[in-house]
Amino acid sequence: MTDQTLRVTVTRQEPGQAPRDETFDVPFDDRTSVLDALDWIKDNAEPSLTFRWSCRSGVCGSCGVMVNGRPVLGCETAVAGYRTSGITVGPMAHAEVQRDLVVDTDAFLAKLRGVSPWMLPVPGADPLPVVEPVETTDQDAPRTLDVLAVHSQTPGQVEAYKGLSQCIDCMLCYAACPVLDDVTGFTGPAAIATARRWDLDSRDQGNETRFSALAENEEGIWPCIQVGACTRACPKDVDPARAIRDYQREAMG
Amino acid sequence: MRVEHADVVVVGGGAAGLSAALAAVESFAAAARDDAVVALVSKVYPMRSHTVAAEGGAAGVVPGGVDTADQHVADTMRGGAGLSHEDAVRFVVDRAPAELARLERLGMPWSRAEDGRPQVRRFGGMTNPRTWFAADKTGFHLLHTLFQTSLRETSIHRLDEHVALDLLLADDGAARGVVLHDQQRGEVVVVLAPAVVLATGGYARAWATSTNAGIVTGDGLSMALRARLPLRDLEMVQVHPTCLPGSGILITEAARGEGGVLLDAAGERYLADYGLGPVTPVGAPEARRMELGPRDQLSQAFWHADRDGRTIPTRDGGVVHLDLRHLGKAFLDERLPLVAGLARRFAGVDPVTEPIPVRPAAHYTMGGIVATPSGQVVDAAGEPVPGLFAAGECASTGLHGANRLGSNSLVETLVGGRAAGSLAADALRRSSASRPTAPDLVDQARGLADRWLAMRGRGTEPPAAIRRELGAVLDAEVGIFRDGDGLARAAATLDDLHERYQDVRVADTADVFNSDWTQALELGAMLTVARGVVAAAAARTESRGAHQRLDHPHTDDVARHSLVTTDARGAVSVRLRPVHAAVARAQGDA
């Protein structure tokens, strides 16, 4: 840290109370992230400031916040670019505030669960279409054909869903999506992208289950108006807008 | 205070905890126990757990090839430097392929060979390639596959953002549940259950320079110590040689495997001067030499180079350069996209045009709660603790010994988690244990919780300062090399921090999401475990595996485990027990 400081305004809120802004002067350098700035405030100025974080490397998905109205991961957003304007950090939009920058996650997880984001049919329920497993002659090991059965999947088949499988459930796309201003029940970008991830997986046969959850449901794919804010907000280059558009096209035949 | 009942309660929502919960569900389903409840406790949400950050992969012998289970066992035992138990190693090795295949059937996106089979690659210390991987995000995919699968199970009762405060034990020492704090509702929760599985992860976040996430604070280990259970081989801490300075973000071994080289301040391939030579040509890496030498030797070479004044000083300590420039932009973007992105975002360095500054960081903790290969926790006398199980990084089963082999920890979470979850559910069915009787346990829980709640709104010692000093002293004295004087200094510092912590300031008095308080709890857990680490490191007057003593460079003929316990006043004691005694005892029980 150097002696230059950044003006950081944080929108704070106690449960059941109105939001209020508090401003802090935070020392920073070219490496300081938004999360570092929040940590500095908690350690040096306001111990009750509440925010989530864990991995600090952009993969756990905990630290989503709005910075000057834009949803970002706090850990990978440098503050130096805002040295003249300062920053206003607020809770992610379109989610109920639990305290300060911590927002409800359960509503999102309910939407995710609603698209059956797991292998269908459930393994064990039906015989697997399997790669020829190699029998072993080692009698000591607890190996049978059954426990070693795996699907065949070529690198190209992995590529088909790889991009959509990168979702870290950070909910930035929900914060960015303008549809959620009006349709709070909209299944939303990440859950639909994850549904698509399973549909495009050659091993899965749950397309009909997910299609009915998404297309025969007015809060499934239909509220999306294709402005692409989700895809632009995604820190992992997932393209939910395209996943939703593809579903809409299929549904319209 | 809320009181809940479960048949099994799993503490920790990473790969080990999720595996345990899923296995328990299967066991109950097989026994037609439709009413069974498996409580899954996480202080975050399970998909935020630190498993998510694992990059490399998971080891499992692919049947029918050149690799064999015996070779996997031999490689692991060699890495363990005398502290691994062959039965524990074989337990994991034998079950590894089946667990990796199970994950495949659940949808894990393993990287594939052209013919459609899961692909394997070689990691440090392996005789044959046996690491299954999903690009350079194996832990992320593993965790999300398990988490999404768990969403389907209605008998899993998730308690997200519930911080574990203490174990509940009956008078005979049997586990009867856990005391939690629900961060969202701001209330104490008691989960009464006849079986408890601890899957709480390691303690490497205690070091200031660490690859670990903020949540990896040894919570489960400190709970075990408070329950008078021993912790084994705490001093065995693996240091990863190439991490970003300050943040500790890990730059995977694959960067060196693909041809990256390490340079000192003068641009020299310094590893050659510290026993890792002769120099291999740039762009032609060779197994076990130079940049592909064993992790601990690379970290040790850095330590010597730093002392010899060959590193580049920064505000985060000395660094060396990981040079990938000769690989070119196209190659970096194709083969090492995560590394390139991390360097750009978190070090401000474009590896196409500049070398990446790196230094070692605490990475994985081999020490843990003493448990059998299948996860049954045992007490200081070596007797099983009824109803208590442990799996994953928090457990010490005898798998990793004095040093963990890369790719063995992810597979341990799957095998150990499943075994512990099954055992917890089966033990319950066998004993047909009724659900624990409530009244006295609830009183006990209330007493335990009140002690923690009383920390709020009092104290004068700033927690951030204690946390900083703890991290700094562990970095300085309990790192790559240790010696008696340094450990004595560390012990004195930790005693002082422990004193100050008794008056730690928790200014926030809120019930809901009081992270001022929970971070103080985590700090307390780290301090508790760190004092055990230092005591064990001081008691082990030899060099073995991850524990290297400058003043005791030899390795004792008899391999011994360290066992740390604390008494009611928090005083730490260490015993050293021959490994063969522990193994013989376990075999006698079996």
Side-chain angles (χ1 to χ4, degrees), chain B residues 102-141:
Chain B
R102 182 197 312 278
L103 259 291
E104 196 285 331
R105 296 194 296 275
L106 294 176
M108 173 79 185
W110 295 117
S111 291
R112 302 282 177 155
E114 285 303 323
D115 69 358
R117 290 166 190 252
Q119 201 179 353
V120 289
R121 65 183 173 196
R122 191 193 299 271
F123 249 66
M126 286 181 189
T127 308
N128 301 309
R130 67 172 75 96
T131 295
W132 301 41
F133 60 101
D136 53 3
K137 293 184 174 179
T138 311
F140 162 77
H141 286 298

Short mmCIF file of all heavy atoms in Angstrom, two decimals, chain B residues 102-141:
data_model
loop_
_atom_site.label_atom_id
_atom_site.label_comp_id
_atom_site.label_asym_id
_atom_site.label_seq_id
_atom_site.Cartn_x
_atom_site.Cartn_y
_atom_site.Cartn_z
N ARG B 102 -17.08 -43.72 -10.62
CA ARG B 102 -18.39 -43.30 -10.10
C ARG B 102 -18.63 -41.82 -10.41
O ARG B 102 -19.71 -41.43 -10.85
CB ARG B 102 -18.46 -43.52 -8.58
CG ARG B 102 -19.82 -43.15 -7.98
CD ARG B 102 -19.77 -42.96 -6.46
NE ARG B 102 -19.08 -44.04 -5.79
CZ ARG B 102 -19.65 -45.20 -5.47
NH1 ARG B 102 -20.92 -45.40 -5.76
NH2 ARG B 102 -18.96 -46.13 -4.85
N LEU B 103 -17.60 -41.02 -10.21
CA LEU B 103 -17.74 -39.59 -10.52
C LEU B 103 -18.03 -39.40 -12.00
O LEU B 103 -18.81 -38.53 -12.39
CB LEU B 103 -16.46 -38.84 -10.12
CG LEU B 103 -16.53 -38.06 -8.80
CD1 LEU B 103 -17.46 -36.85 -8.95
CD2 LEU B 103 -17.04 -38.92 -7.65
N GLU B 104 -17.40 -40.21 -12.82
CA GLU B 104 -17.65 -40.13 -14.26
C GLU B 104 -19.12 -40.39 -14.53
O GLU B 104 -19.78 -39.66 -15.27
CB GLU B 104 -16.77 -41.14 -15.00
CG GLU B 104 -16.67 -40.89 -16.51
CD GLU B 104 -17.93 -41.29 -17.27
OE1 GLU B 104 -18.66 -42.21 -16.83
OE2 GLU B 104 -18.20 -40.68 -18.32
N ARG B 105 -19.67 -41.39 -13.90
CA ARG B 105 -21.08 -41.72 -14.13
C ARG B 105 -22.01 -40.64 -13.61
O ARG B 105 -23.13 -40.50 -14.07
CB ARG B 105 -21.43 -43.08 -13.49
CG ARG B 105 -20.66 -44.25 -14.10
CD ARG B 105 -21.24 -45.59 -13.72
NE ARG B 105 -21.17 -45.88 -12.29
CZ ARG B 105 -20.10 -46.42 -11.68
NH1 ARG B 105 -19.04 -46.72 -12.38
NH2 ARG B 105 -20.13 -46.66 -10.39
N LEU B 106 -21.53 -39.87 -12.65
CA LEU B 106 -22.33 -38.75 -12.15
C LEU B 106 -22.19 -37.51 -13.03
O LEU B 106 -22.86 -36.50 -12.78
CB LEU B 106 -21.92 -38.40 -10.71
CG LEU B 106 -22.21 -39.45 -9.64
CD1 LEU B 106 -21.67 -39.02 -8.29
CD2 LEU B 106 -23.72 -39.73 -9.54
N GLY B 107 -21.30 -37.56 -14.04
CA GLY B 107 -21.21 -36.46 -14.98
C GLY B 107 -19.93 -35.64 -14.90
O GLY B 107 -19.81 -34.61 -15.57
N MET B 108 -18.97 -36.08 -14.12
CA MET B 108 -17.70 -35.36 -14.02
C MET B 108 -17.07 -35.24 -15.42
O MET B 108 -16.92 -36.22 -16.12
CB MET B 108 -16.78 -36.15 -13.10
CG MET B 108 -15.36 -35.64 -13.02
SD MET B 108 -15.23 -34.20 -11.93
CE MET B 108 -13.49 -33.77 -12.19
N PRO B 109 -16.74 -34.01 -15.84
CA PRO B 109 -16.17 -33.84 -17.19
C PRO B 109 -14.67 -34.14 -17.25
O PRO B 109 -13.86 -33.26 -17.54
CB PRO B 109 -16.46 -32.37 -17.50
CG PRO B 109 -16.52 -31.69 -16.18
CD PRO B 109 -16.99 -32.72 -15.17
N TRP B 110 -14.31 -35.38 -16.99
CA TRP B 110 -12.89 -35.76 -17.11
C TRP B 110 -12.37 -35.44 -18.51
O TRP B 110 -13.09 -35.65 -19.49
CB TRP B 110 -12.70 -37.25 -16.85
CG TRP B 110 -13.03 -37.74 -15.47
CD1 TRP B 110 -14.01 -38.63 -15.13
CD2 TRP B 110 -12.35 -37.40 -14.25
NE1 TRP B 110 -13.98 -38.86 -13.76
CE2 TRP B 110 -12.98 -38.12 -13.20
CE3 TRP B 110 -11.28 -36.57 -13.93
CZ2 TRP B 110 -12.58 -38.02 -11.87
CZ3 TRP B 110 -10.87 -36.47 -12.60
CH2 TRP B 110 -11.52 -37.20 -11.60
N SER B 111 -11.16 -34.99 -18.60
CA SER B 111 -10.53 -34.83 -19.91
C SER B 111 -10.35 -36.21 -20.54
O SER B 111 -10.13 -37.19 -19.84
CB SER B 111 -9.17 -34.13 -19.76
OG SER B 111 -9.36 -32.78 -19.38
N ARG B 112 -10.49 -36.24 -21.86
CA ARG B 112 -10.57 -37.54 -22.55
C ARG B 112 -9.45 -37.73 -23.57
O ARG B 112 -8.98 -36.77 -24.16
CB ARG B 112 -11.90 -37.63 -23.30
CG ARG B 112 -13.13 -37.48 -22.44
CD ARG B 112 -13.43 -38.75 -21.68
NE ARG B 112 -14.58 -38.54 -20.78
CZ ARG B 112 -15.36 -39.53 -20.36
NH1 ARG B 112 -15.13 -40.77 -20.73
NH2 ARG B 112 -16.35 -39.28 -19.55
N ALA B 113 -9.12 -39.00 -23.77
CA ALA B 113 -8.27 -39.37 -24.90
C ALA B 113 -9.13 -39.39 -26.16
O ALA B 113 -10.36 -39.39 -26.08
CB ALA B 113 -7.64 -40.73 -24.65
N GLU B 114 -8.48 -39.41 -27.32
CA GLU B 114 -9.22 -39.38 -28.59
C GLU B 114 -10.23 -40.53 -28.68
O GLU B 114 -11.27 -40.39 -29.30
CB GLU B 114 -8.25 -39.45 -29.78
CG GLU B 114 -7.50 -38.14 -30.04
CD GLU B 114 -8.43 -36.95 -30.27
OE1 GLU B 114 -9.49 -37.13 -30.90
OE2 GLU B 114 -8.11 -35.83 -29.78
N ASP B 115 -9.91 -41.68 -28.08
CA ASP B 115 -10.81 -42.83 -28.20
C ASP B 115 -11.99 -42.77 -27.23
O ASP B 115 -12.79 -43.69 -27.18
CB ASP B 115 -10.02 -44.13 -28.01
CG ASP B 115 -9.52 -44.31 -26.57
OD1 ASP B 115 -9.76 -43.40 -25.74
OD2 ASP B 115 -8.91 -45.35 -26.27
N GLY B 116 -12.06 -41.69 -26.45
CA GLY B 116 -13.23 -41.53 -25.59
C GLY B 116 -13.04 -41.99 -24.16
O GLY B 116 -13.93 -41.85 -23.33
N ARG B 117 -11.88 -42.55 -23.86
CA ARG B 117 -11.62 -42.95 -22.47
C ARG B 117 -11.08 -41.78 -21.66
O ARG B 117 -10.42 -40.90 -22.21
CB ARG B 117 -10.57 -44.05 -22.43
CG ARG B 117 -11.02 -45.37 -22.95
CD ARG B 117 -9.81 -46.26 -23.17
NE ARG B 117 -10.19 -47.44 -23.91
CZ ARG B 117 -10.26 -48.66 -23.36
NH1 ARG B 117 -9.96 -48.83 -22.10
NH2 ARG B 117 -10.63 -49.69 -24.08
N PRO B 118 -11.35 -41.80 -20.35
CA PRO B 118 -10.73 -40.77 -19.51
C PRO B 118 -9.21 -40.83 -19.66
O PRO B 118 -8.62 -41.89 -19.73
CB PRO B 118 -11.17 -41.18 -18.09
CG PRO B 118 -12.42 -41.95 -18.29
CD PRO B 118 -12.25 -42.67 -19.59
N GLN B 119 -8.61 -39.64 -19.73
CA GLN B 119 -7.18 -39.53 -19.97
C GLN B 119 -6.45 -39.42 -18.63
O GLN B 119 -7.00 -38.89 -17.67
CB GLN B 119 -6.94 -38.26 -20.79
CG GLN B 119 -5.66 -38.21 -21.54
CD GLN B 119 -5.54 -36.93 -22.34
OE1 GLN B 119 -6.48 -36.14 -22.42
NE2 GLN B 119 -4.39 -36.72 -22.93
N VAL B 120 -5.24 -39.92 -18.58
CA VAL B 120 -4.42 -39.74 -17.36
C VAL B 120 -3.11 -39.06 -17.71
O VAL B 120 -2.64 -39.17 -18.84
CB VAL B 120 -4.13 -41.08 -16.64
CG1 VAL B 120 -5.37 -41.63 -16.00
CG2 VAL B 120 -3.50 -42.08 -17.60
N ARG B 121 -2.56 -38.32 -16.73
CA ARG B 121 -1.26 -37.72 -16.95
C ARG B 121 -0.37 -37.95 -15.73
O ARG B 121 -0.82 -38.39 -14.68
CB ARG B 121 -1.38 -36.24 -17.28
CG ARG B 121 -1.94 -35.37 -16.17
CD ARG B 121 -2.08 -33.93 -16.69
NE ARG B 121 -2.76 -33.07 -15.73
CZ ARG B 121 -3.27 -31.88 -16.06
NH1 ARG B 121 -3.21 -31.43 -17.30
NH2 ARG B 121 -3.85 -31.13 -15.14
N ARG B 122 0.89 -37.62 -15.90
CA ARG B 122 1.88 -37.89 -14.86
C ARG B 122 2.00 -36.68 -13.95
O ARG B 122 1.98 -35.54 -14.38
CB ARG B 122 3.22 -38.18 -15.50
CG ARG B 122 4.26 -38.73 -14.55
CD ARG B 122 5.63 -38.69 -15.16
NE ARG B 122 5.74 -39.47 -16.37
CZ ARG B 122 6.07 -40.75 -16.41
NH1 ARG B 122 6.34 -41.39 -15.30
NH2 ARG B 122 6.16 -41.40 -17.56
N PHE B 123 2.12 -36.94 -12.66
CA PHE B 123 2.38 -35.89 -11.70
C PHE B 123 3.67 -36.21 -10.95
O PHE B 123 4.18 -37.33 -11.05
CB PHE B 123 1.21 -35.76 -10.71
CG PHE B 123 0.44 -34.50 -10.89
CD1 PHE B 123 -0.28 -34.28 -12.04
CD2 PHE B 123 0.44 -33.52 -9.90
CE1 PHE B 123 -1.00 -33.11 -12.21
CE2 PHE B 123 -0.27 -32.35 -10.07
CZ PHE B 123 -0.99 -32.14 -11.23
N GLY B 124 4.17 -35.24 -10.21
CA GLY B 124 5.42 -35.42 -9.47
C GLY B 124 5.38 -36.64 -8.59
O GLY B 124 4.38 -36.90 -7.91
N GLY B 125 6.46 -37.42 -8.59
CA GLY B 125 6.57 -38.57 -7.71
C GLY B 125 5.92 -39.83 -8.24
O GLY B 125 5.95 -40.87 -7.59
N MET B 126 5.30 -39.76 -9.44
CA MET B 126 4.64 -40.94 -9.98
C MET B 126 5.55 -41.71 -10.92
O MET B 126 6.17 -41.13 -11.79
CB MET B 126 3.41 -40.53 -10.79
CG MET B 126 2.26 -40.09 -9.96
SD MET B 126 0.89 -39.67 -11.06
CE MET B 126 -0.20 -38.94 -9.84
N THR B 127 5.54 -43.03 -10.76
CA THR B 127 6.28 -43.88 -11.68
C THR B 127 5.57 -43.95 -13.03
O THR B 127 6.19 -43.94 -14.08
CB THR B 127 6.42 -45.30 -11.08
OG1 THR B 127 6.94 -45.16 -9.76
CG2 THR B 127 7.35 -46.14 -11.92
N ASN B 128 4.24 -44.04 -12.97
CA ASN B 128 3.43 -44.12 -14.19
C ASN B 128 2.38 -43.02 -14.17
O ASN B 128 1.96 -42.59 -13.10
CB ASN B 128 2.71 -45.46 -14.27
CG ASN B 128 3.67 -46.63 -14.26
OD1 ASN B 128 4.62 -46.65 -15.04
ND2 ASN B 128 3.45 -47.58 -13.36
N PRO B 129 1.90 -42.59 -15.36
CA PRO B 129 0.81 -41.61 -15.38
C PRO B 129 -0.45 -42.24 -14.77
O PRO B 129 -0.82 -43.34 -15.16
CB PRO B 129 0.60 -41.32 -16.87
CG PRO B 129 1.76 -41.91 -17.58
CD PRO B 129 2.31 -42.99 -16.71
N ARG B 130 -1.06 -41.55 -13.80
CA ARG B 130 -2.33 -42.07 -13.25
C ARG B 130 -3.23 -40.96 -12.73
O ARG B 130 -4.17 -41.23 -11.99
CB ARG B 130 -2.04 -43.10 -12.14
CG ARG B 130 -1.41 -42.57 -10.86
CD ARG B 130 -1.36 -43.63 -9.79
NE ARG B 130 -0.33 -44.60 -10.05
CZ ARG B 130 0.91 -44.56 -9.52
NH1 ARG B 130 1.25 -43.60 -8.71
NH2 ARG B 130 1.79 -45.49 -9.81
N THR B 131 -2.94 -39.73 -13.12
CA THR B 131 -3.78 -38.63 -12.66
C THR B 131 -4.92 -38.37 -13.65
O THR B 131 -4.69 -37.97 -14.78
CB THR B 131 -2.95 -37.36 -12.49
OG1 THR B 131 -2.00 -37.57 -11.44
CG2 THR B 131 -3.83 -36.18 -12.12
N TRP B 132 -6.14 -38.62 -13.19
CA TRP B 132 -7.32 -38.23 -13.96
C TRP B 132 -7.50 -36.73 -13.74
O TRP B 132 -7.31 -36.23 -12.63
CB TRP B 132 -8.56 -38.95 -13.45
CG TRP B 132 -8.53 -40.45 -13.48
CD1 TRP B 132 -7.49 -41.28 -13.16
CD2 TRP B 132 -9.63 -41.31 -13.83
NE1 TRP B 132 -7.87 -42.59 -13.28
CE2 TRP B 132 -9.17 -42.64 -13.69
CE3 TRP B 132 -10.94 -41.08 -14.24
CZ2 TRP B 132 -10.00 -43.73 -13.94
CZ3 TRP B 132 -11.76 -42.16 -14.48
CH2 TRP B 132 -11.29 -43.47 -14.35
N PHE B 133 -7.89 -36.00 -14.77
CA PHE B 133 -7.96 -34.55 -14.61
C PHE B 133 -9.09 -33.98 -15.47
O PHE B 133 -9.56 -34.63 -16.41
CB PHE B 133 -6.62 -33.91 -14.99
CG PHE B 133 -6.18 -34.16 -16.41
CD1 PHE B 133 -6.34 -33.18 -17.38
CD2 PHE B 133 -5.61 -35.37 -16.78
CE1 PHE B 133 -5.95 -33.40 -18.70
CE2 PHE B 133 -5.21 -35.61 -18.10
CZ PHE B 133 -5.38 -34.62 -19.06
N ALA B 134 -9.52 -32.78 -15.15
CA ALA B 134 -10.50 -32.05 -15.95
C ALA B 134 -9.86 -30.70 -16.25
O ALA B 134 -9.96 -29.78 -15.46
CB ALA B 134 -11.81 -31.89 -15.20
N ALA B 135 -9.11 -30.66 -17.36
CA ALA B 135 -8.28 -29.51 -17.72
C ALA B 135 -7.44 -29.12 -16.49
O ALA B 135 -6.90 -30.00 -15.82
CB ALA B 135 -9.13 -28.36 -18.24
N ASP B 136 -7.34 -27.82 -16.19
CA ASP B 136 -6.61 -27.46 -14.97
C ASP B 136 -7.58 -26.98 -13.90
O ASP B 136 -7.28 -26.11 -13.10
CB ASP B 136 -5.49 -26.44 -15.25
CG ASP B 136 -5.98 -25.20 -15.99
OD1 ASP B 136 -7.21 -25.10 -16.25
OD2 ASP B 136 -5.15 -24.33 -16.30
N LYS B 137 -8.81 -27.57 -13.90
CA LYS B 137 -9.83 -27.19 -12.92
C LYS B 137 -10.48 -28.43 -12.34
O LYS B 137 -11.71 -28.50 -12.19
CB LYS B 137 -10.92 -26.36 -13.61
CG LYS B 137 -10.44 -25.00 -14.09
CD LYS B 137 -11.62 -24.24 -14.65
CE LYS B 137 -11.21 -22.83 -15.02
NZ LYS B 137 -12.35 -22.09 -15.60
N THR B 138 -9.70 -29.42 -11.98
CA THR B 138 -10.26 -30.69 -11.54
C THR B 138 -11.10 -30.54 -10.27
O THR B 138 -12.21 -31.07 -10.19
CB THR B 138 -9.14 -31.71 -11.30
OG1 THR B 138 -8.28 -31.71 -12.45
CG2 THR B 138 -9.70 -33.10 -11.09
N GLY B 139 -10.60 -29.82 -9.29
CA GLY B 139 -11.33 -29.67 -8.03
C GLY B 139 -12.64 -28.94 -8.23
O GLY B 139 -13.67 -29.31 -7.65
N PHE B 140 -12.61 -27.92 -9.06
CA PHE B 140 -13.83 -27.17 -9.36
C PHE B 140 -14.90 -28.10 -9.93
O PHE B 140 -16.06 -28.10 -9.46
CB PHE B 140 -13.51 -26.03 -10.35
CG PHE B 140 -14.71 -25.48 -11.05
CD1 PHE B 140 -15.58 -24.62 -10.39
CD2 PHE B 140 -15.00 -25.83 -12.35
CE1 PHE B 140 -16.70 -24.13 -11.02
CE2 PHE B 140 -16.13 -25.34 -12.99
CZ PHE B 140 -16.98 -24.48 -12.33
N HIS B 141 -14.54 -28.87 -10.94
CA HIS B 141 -15.54 -29.76 -11.55
C HIS B 141 -15.98 -30.87 -10.60
O HIS B 141 -17.16 -31.23 -10.57
CB HIS B 141 -14.98 -30.34 -12.85
CG HIS B 141 -14.93 -29.35 -13.97
ND1 HIS B 141 -16.05 -28.76 -14.49
CD2 HIS B 141 -13.88 -28.83 -14.67
CE1 HIS B 141 -15.70 -27.92 -15.47
NE2 HIS B 141 -14.39 -27.94 -15.59
#
